[in-house]
Amino acid sequence: MNTRYLKHIPSFAAALLLALGLPLAWAGEGHDHGDAPAAVNGNGPKRLPDGSVFLPKPAQRQLNVRTTTVSLAELPRSIELAGKVVMDPNAGGKVQAMVAGRIEPGTRGLPNVGQSVRKGQVLAYVIPSTGQIERSNQTAQLAELRAAKSLAEKRLARLQELADTVPRKELEAAESEVISLGERVAAVGAGLSNRDALVAPVSGVIASSHVVGGQVVDARELVFEVINPARLRIEALAYDAEVARNVAGATLAIGTQSIRLNFVGAARSLREQALPMLFQGEGAALSSLAVGQPVKVYVQTTTRVNGLRVPAASLMKNPANQSVVWVKKAPEQFEPRVVTVEPLDGASVAVTSGLQAGDRVATQAAALINQIR
């Protein structure tokens, strides 16, 4: 066979294996036969020398890349505030023990966290705790009252037999004494055996439980918290008092969703050098939040700014730690643009420089484009 054709057989076989998607088998050290390495496919995703990214259409579909055209508009200048989820006082409450004692479960046991309860439902009982001397004194007092009541009842019975000969006022006095002694016996007896019922102040779910069966609690100790998860409030802290006087709206970002909040009011006293501001929101999205959870509140002011609305997910960081977005310059080419942004509503930002109206910005899979090298 002609040797001119034999020397092309290894490269042809490697190309055939690549076309069929089969792995290549390379010879170990000392067993290679001088074959040249296969050429790298130049049609895959790669970073170009100018910093842009070449991304073929099949790769764009595989990465699920999405773009949108941005336009210039007047957007409200927003301020980002740190906040937390708090309980609505009209749709939640705390259950505290009135007396010191031992926790006793109700007929259905102690409620679990997340369990739905009704207003007025008994959640648990507190058996009052008393000292041995105090309990002995109450028992002795109860015995004296019962003996006095027995004598009063016998005296009343004799007076009733002589009702025609004794004055009416003596008969009424004896009846009042029997009734009074009976109520005193009931009061002292209840103090020895009565239980303090812990009831739900509102209808909702159990947000927290701090006791177990048999636990001893003090008076005013928090036992349960009940909230309505669909009615929560957001408390944000503003370190500039002017923010509270320039509120045009507010939003709360939960993931990629933006929830509109209603401004309830601001406090008139500082707390740790900050002014508490209260916002109210309703809806099913708030049910995913927990009381005390930290959140970010975006307060829109009455001041307007010219900018381009871009999803917050489009913002990336370059090696210089600058904020960039990826702009589609050609069907298969994306270019990074350094931008200056201002917050809007948590889900979107306002780009004030670095973009022009009509640019197509990557809104989905921007992080994957940024990782291509």
Side-chain angles (χ1 to χ4, degrees):
M1 184 180 294
N2 194 342
T3 59
R4 182 178 61 183
Y5 299 103
L6 291 176
K7 64 181 180 180
H8 295 291
I9 291 178
S11 59
F12 173 76
L16 180 60
L17 291 175
L18 286 174
L20 296 176
L22 299 176
L24 296 177
W26 303 98
E29 183 179 357
H31 298 279
D32 60 287
H33 303 286
D35 298 335
V40 180
N41 186 7
N43 294 327
K46 60 183 177 180
R47 184 70 65 98
L48 300 179
D50 60 354
S52 61
V53 169
F54 173 74
L55 192 62
K57 285 294 183 180
Q60 293 184 32
R61 289 190 290 268
Q62 185 178 10
L63 298 179
N64 199 18
V65 177
R66 295 290 183 268
T67 60
T68 185
T69 303
V70 296
S71 57
L72 188 65
E74 278 194 356
L75 303 173
R77 187 182 298 274
S78 301
I79 301 174
E80 180 181 331
L81 301 178
K84 65 177 181 179
V85 182
V86 297
M87 181 189 305
D88 188 343
N90 297 317
K94 297 182 178 181
V95 181
Q96 296 175 277
M98 292 291 294
V99 296
R102 180 168 50 86
I103 294 294
E104 182 179 89
T107 56
R108 300 182 180 179
L110 292 174
N112 299 317
V113 175
Q115 178 179 333
S116 298
V117 295
R118 307 181 312 275
K119 181 178 180 180
Q121 178 179 340
V122 177
L123 306 179
Y125 294 98
V126 177
I127 300 178
S129 60
T130 56
Q132 294 295 332
I133 297 178
E134 183 180 357
R135 190 173 183 86
S136 300
N137 293 336
Q138 290 180 345
T139 305
Q141 184 181 4
L142 180 61
E144 292 177 359
L145 291 174
R146 286 176 176 171
K149 180 185 175 184
S150 177
L151 292 175
E153 290 176 346
K154 293 178 181 179
R155 181 171 178 273
L156 176 61
R158 289 194 301 268
L159 291 176
Q160 288 177 345
E161 293 177 357
L162 302 174
D164 297 335
T165 59
V166 298
R168 181 64 181 176
K169 63 178 182 179
E170 292 186 11
L171 186 61
E172 292 177 351
E175 292 177 351
S176 299
E177 185 179 3
V178 171
I179 295 174
S180 175
L181 289 172
E183 293 178 352
R184 293 174 63 184
V185 168
V188 175
L192 290 172
S193 60
N194 193 21
R195 301 179 300 178
D196 182 25
L198 303 178
V199 299
V202 295
S203 297
V205 299
I206 301 295
S208 63
S209 176
H210 305 277
V211 294
V212 295
Q215 179 177 341
V216 177
V217 296
D218 294 329
R220 303 177 62 183
E221 184 174 342
L222 180 62
V223 181
F224 301 104
E225 282 184 308
V226 183
I227 65 167
N228 185 351
R231 294 179 57 187
L232 296 174
R233 291 189 176 184
I234 310 298
E235 183 186 79
L237 298 178
Y239 290 89
D240 187 0
E242 289 295 330
V243 177
R245 293 190 287 268
N246 192 20
V247 178
T251 55
L252 172 67
I254 302 178
T256 58
Q257 188 176 4
S258 180
I259 302 175
R260 183 160 297 277
L261 301 175
N262 298 323
F263 180 53
V264 177
R268 296 300 178 183
S269 61
L270 296 179
R271 182 199 304 165
E272 298 179 356
Q273 305 302 319
L275 188 68
M277 301 174 61
L278 199 61
F279 300 88
Q280 183 179 14
E282 295 184 4
L286 291 178
S287 301
S288 61
L289 301 178
V291 174
Q293 177 178 343
V295 293
K296 291 183 178 180
V297 179
Y298 297 87
V299 178
Q300 286 85 38
T301 63
T302 55
T303 308
R304 314 293 289 186
V305 59
N306 291 327
L308 302 100
R309 183 184 292 270
V310 173
S314 299
L315 287 180
M316 296 291 122
K317 293 291 184 179
N318 62 5
N321 202 30
Q322 296 173 308
S323 297
V324 299
V325 296
W326 288 93
V327 178
K328 192 173 186 179
K329 295 296 294 181
E332 295 183 338
Q333 184 177 359
F334 290 84
E335 178 186 43
R337 295 274 187 88
V338 178
V339 295
T340 303
V341 299
E342 292 189 8
L344 275 183
D345 56 6
S348 304
V349 296
V351 177
T352 56
S353 65
L355 285 180
Q356 297 179 355
D359 288 341
R360 295 190 65 85
V361 176
T363 59
Q364 189 171 323
L368 300 177
I369 300 176
N370 198 51
Q371 295 174 10
I372 295 177
R373 294 292 183 265

